[in-house]
């Protein structure tokens, strides 16, 4: 858009303020919804502390045992992970963890509800937690089953009223743990790493969990580069197939996948059972396709309305178009002007939506609907929103512009535009 086209487009928008306002409101509202949805999705799967290496991470979160009459699906078992994933060749680091469980504790006579998760030392090397006090648990803590814990800031406040927690003791799930570190709160949307309290895996009671193929465990496999994903998946699939089948009288096949974060969430959303060899790619692709379809459907209806609004706005300018055609304006120049007006309008709408999204996201953060959420519109989301705005502007402006550009000058001057 050159300066001359910009000035003409701006004058055209200011000449019909009412239609301009209606169009701007519709565009801004639509983009506002897209920005909020993008912020939620980005907060769940994007690279945010402490999970900043998402682009190089694969996850094992679900396994399936199946037979002629029985099927069992759950998290991975520690026995399977220890035998088949711990030494996966090509991985830079590997971490095991349990899914978060809820426990009730008491501090100074008051009930404290908290989620707790058991992890190994590798968990603290892959993830970049921000420590407010102390540091992470160590390999010795995991090996020797030391009763130590890392807690988040909110748990420190609930147990100790905001006082220093380092070296003090909390009781979780019937065990007393000495606090060795305090970290910033992790949003609940980071479902695989979220918790209030983290303690060593080895502190689990008994030993039977050490042999299970299915259980309550997950793993993070940090690759040296995303290009290594196919090789890691192929090796993982081969190891799943050769792993002994538990209870062979009832089960004949063990399945599992090494997924990206998008693939893991896609499987949950579309209820896709783990299938060895799929590599998680199909779930990730389905997630992208599903979200794309939703986005297109979400944008199509307001786009149709805006086409009508834009058509009415442009038809109202038929005499102006007739004069310009009579003085030699080409159809191409008229189309360029009307499309430029629409793109300009949608860019303004995009900025209005970005400004309006900030307080709405802040309200969601403060509402407690998503514990510890830190939703915000970052530059990546804003850039995607502006791309959507330009697409939206071109989509809703091309047809009215094309239709008016074909109008005969005499009919346009008489105001006959329909």
């Amino acid at each position: 858009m050159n300066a001359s086209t910009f000035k003409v487009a701006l004058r055209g928008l200011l000449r019909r303020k009412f239609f301009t306002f209606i169009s701007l409101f519709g565009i801004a509202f639509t983009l506002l919804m897209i920005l909020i949805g993008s912020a939620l999705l980005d907060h769940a799967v994007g690279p945010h502390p402490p999970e900043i290496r998402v682009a190089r991470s694969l996850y094992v979160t679900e396994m399936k045992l199946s037979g002629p009459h029985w099927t069992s699906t759950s998290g991975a078992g520690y026995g399977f992970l220890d035998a088949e994933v711990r030494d996966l060749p090509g991985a830079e680091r590997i971490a095991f963890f349990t899914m978060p469980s809820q426990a009730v504790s008491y501090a100074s006579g008051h009930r404290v509800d908290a989620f707790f998760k058991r992890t190994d030392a590798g968990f603290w090397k892959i993830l970049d937690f921000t420590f407010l006090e102390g540091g992470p648990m160590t390999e010795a803590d995991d090996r020797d089953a030391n009763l130590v814990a890392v807690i988040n800031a909110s748990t420190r406040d609930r147990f100790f009223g905001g006082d220093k927690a380092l070296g003090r003791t909390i009781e979780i799930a019937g065990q007393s743990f000495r606090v060795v570190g305090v970290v910033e709160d992790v949003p609940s949307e980071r479902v695989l790493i979220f918790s209030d309290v983290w303690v060593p895996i080895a502190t689990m009671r008994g030993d039977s969990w050490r042999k299970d193929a299915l259980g309550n465990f997950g793993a993070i496999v940090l690759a040296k580069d995303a290009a290594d994903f196919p090789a890691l998946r192929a090796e993982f699939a081969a190891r799943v197939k050769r792993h002994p089948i538990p209870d062979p009288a009832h089960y004949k096949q063990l399945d599992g996948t090494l997924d990206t974060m998008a693939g893991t969430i896609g499987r949950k959303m579309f209820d896709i059972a783990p299938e060895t060899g799929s590599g998680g790619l199909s779930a990730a692709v389905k997630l992208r396709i599903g979200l794309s379809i939703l986005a297109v459907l979400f944008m199509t209806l307001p786009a149709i309305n805006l086409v009508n609004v834009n058509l009415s706005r442009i038809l109202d300018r038929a005499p102006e178009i007739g004069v310009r055609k009579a003085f030699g304006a080409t159809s191409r120049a008229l189309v360029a002007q009307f499309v430029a007006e629409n793109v300009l309008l949608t860019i303004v709408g995009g900025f209005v939506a970005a400004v309006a999204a900030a307080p709405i996201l802040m309200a969601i953060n403060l509402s407690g609907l998503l514990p510890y959420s830190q939703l915000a519109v970052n530059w990546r989301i804003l850039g995607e929103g502006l791309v959507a705005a330009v697409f939206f502007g071109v989509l809703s402006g091309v047809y009215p512009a094309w239709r008016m550009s074909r109008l005969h000058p005499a009919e346009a001057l008489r105001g006959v535009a329909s």
Side-chain angles (χ1 to χ4, degrees):
M1 186 188 307
N2 56 40
S4 175
T5 305
F6 174 80
K7 290 178 182 177
V8 172
L10 187 60
R11 282 200 295 270
L13 291 173
L14 294 177
R15 194 174 301 131
R16 300 291 189 272
K17 294 184 176 62
F18 176 74
F19 285 113
T20 299
F21 171 77
I22 295 297
S23 300
L24 184 61
F25 178 81
I27 291 170
F29 182 77
T30 301
L31 292 176
L32 175 63
M33 295 298 103
I34 292 175
L35 284 177
I36 291 175
S38 299
L40 286 167
L41 184 63
D42 182 78
H43 203 47
V45 303
H48 293 285
E51 210 167 10
I52 61 174
R53 300 183 180 87
V54 173
R56 289 198 290 133
S57 297
L58 294 170
Y59 303 82
V60 182
T61 59
E62 201 172 44
M63 303 293 292
K64 183 180 75 172
L65 272 173
S66 53
H69 306 292
W70 302 83
T71 299
S72 180
T73 303
S74 72
Y78 185 88
F80 169 80
L81 295 177
D82 192 40
E84 312 296 355
V85 178
R86 185 177 295 283
D87 62 345
L88 203 59
E92 182 175 312
R93 290 190 185 280
I94 293 173
F96 297 165
F97 57 87
T98 62
M99 302 303 169
S101 302
Q102 199 161 16
V104 176
S105 302
Y106 291 89
S108 303
H110 298 289
R111 172 177 169 146
V112 176
D113 294 309
F115 286 95
F116 76 100
K117 175 188 285 287
R118 299 181 191 271
T119 75
D120 62 9
F123 186 83
W124 302 93
K125 295 177 180 176
I126 290 179
L127 302 163
D128 282 5
F129 284 87
T130 300
F131 278 85
L132 306 176
E133 296 181 40
M137 59 189 71
T138 65
E139 292 179 359
D141 291 328
D142 189 37
R143 181 186 63 239
D144 302 335
N146 293 332
L147 294 174
V148 297
V150 175
I151 64 176
N152 64 8
S154 293
T155 301
R156 176 185 61 184
D157 295 342
R158 291 197 291 267
F159 271 93
F160 307 115
D163 294 339
K164 293 287 185 182
L166 205 60
R168 302 175 75 172
T169 301
I170 63 172
E171 186 166 321
I172 292 288
Q175 293 176 292
S176 293
F177 295 92
R178 177 173 54 85
V179 176
V180 296
V182 179
V183 297
E184 289 185 347
D185 294 338
V186 177
S188 61
E189 299 95 294
R190 313 299 301 202
V191 293
L192 298 181
I193 63 170
F194 160 76
S195 192
D196 294 307
V197 180
W198 297 262
V199 301
I201 288 176
T203 58
M204 291 182 72
R205 292 189 174 95
D207 285 324
S208 59
W209 52 271
R210 292 182 181 275
K211 301 177 182 177
D212 294 338
L214 272 63
N216 188 36
F217 286 86
I220 305 173
V221 177
L222 180 67
K224 296 173 183 173
D225 191 281
D228 296 333
F229 283 2
L232 286 167
R233 282 173 165 150
E235 177 63 22
F236 175 81
R239 292 184 171 207
V240 171
K241 288 188 178 296
R242 77 184 184 205
H243 189 80
I245 302 294
D247 193 5
H250 294 94
Y251 300 108
K252 302 300 180 186
Q253 184 171 334
L254 176 66
D255 286 296
T257 52
L258 193 59
D259 285 355
T260 60
M261 178 64 76
T264 300
I265 293 179
R267 287 185 181 283
K268 297 294 181 184
M269 288 181 64
F270 295 101
D271 195 23
I272 301 172
E275 185 176 348
T276 302
S278 67
L281 181 61
S282 59
V285 171
K286 286 180 179 179
L287 175 64
R288 294 192 185 99
I289 292 174
L291 292 177
S292 299
I293 292 173
L294 286 175
V296 169
L297 290 176
F298 186 78
M299 293 178 67
T300 298
L301 290 178
I304 292 173
N305 287 331
L306 282 177
V307 167
N308 290 328
V309 171
N310 286 331
L311 191 57
S312 300
R313 177 167 61 87
I314 295 174
L315 288 177
D316 194 52
R317 295 164 61 183
E320 171 197 334
I321 295 169
V323 171
R324 293 192 61 186
K325 280 205 159 190
F327 280 89
T330 64
S331 296
R332 185 174 181 179
L334 290 172
V335 168
Q337 177 193 332
F338 292 131
V339 171
E341 286 182 15
N342 233 45
V343 170
L344 179 62
L345 198 61
T346 50
I347 290 176
V348 173
F351 280 108
V352 171
V355 171
I360 293 175
L361 294 175
M362 180 64 70
I364 295 175
N365 291 339
L366 297 176
S367 69
L369 292 173
L370 302 172
Y372 313 140
S373 63
Q374 300 163 7
L375 296 170
V377 176
N378 58 38
W379 287 110
R380 187 173 64 256
I381 294 175
L382 186 59
E384 292 171 355
L386 287 177
V387 170
V390 173
F391 171 76
F392 202 44
V394 173
L395 183 68
S396 61
V398 166
Y399 173 68
W402 172 80
R403 182 170 170 181
M404 288 308 299
S405 69
R406 294 174 61 85
L407 200 62
H408 192 278
E411 292 179 337
L413 287 169
R414 290 200 305 271
V416 181
S418 58

